[in-house]
Amino acid sequence: MNKMNYQLHIEINHLLDSLAKLIGYNQAHAYYERVYNEALCTTRLSDEYVKEKMKIKLRNVSLTESI
């Protein structure tokens, strides 16, 4: 794993932890699995893609929680 992939994995894990605090670990991990599988199915297996999808979900959940 190169340095860039390692950094992305750290960022993705941080996003997963943040999302888990809002919606629970099981739901957050299930969402991560869906995004990861989506990336595989579309041959877009990209850590950057997964990171962006996780950021969007976290932002949406955070907005919902703050309302």
Side-chain angles (χ1 to χ4, degrees):
M1 180 179 301
N2 66 34
K3 187 175 182 176
M4 181 61 148
N5 285 345
Y6 180 74
Q7 181 62 33
L8 283 171
H9 281 279
I10 290 172
E11 292 175 23
I12 290 169
N13 283 333
H14 177 71
L15 291 167
L16 181 59
D17 289 342
S18 297
L19 189 58
K21 288 176 185 173
L22 293 171
I23 64 174
Y25 177 79
N26 289 338
Q27 286 184 324
H29 192 66
Y31 180 76
Y32 167 79
E33 290 293 325
R34 281 194 304 273
V35 170
Y36 185 81
N37 287 331
E38 181 181 310
L40 281 174
C41 290
T42 60
T43 66
R44 293 176 58 185
L45 182 55
S46 163
D47 292 333
E48 193 65 44
Y49 175 80
V50 174
K51 178 184 142 186
E52 289 306 313
K53 292 289 278 191
M54 295 292 290
K55 284 171 61 175
I56 291 167
K57 177 69 171 181
L58 181 60
R59 182 173 50 242
N60 289 342
V61 169
S62 294
L63 288 174
T64 302
E65 293 291 319
S66 67
I67 293 176

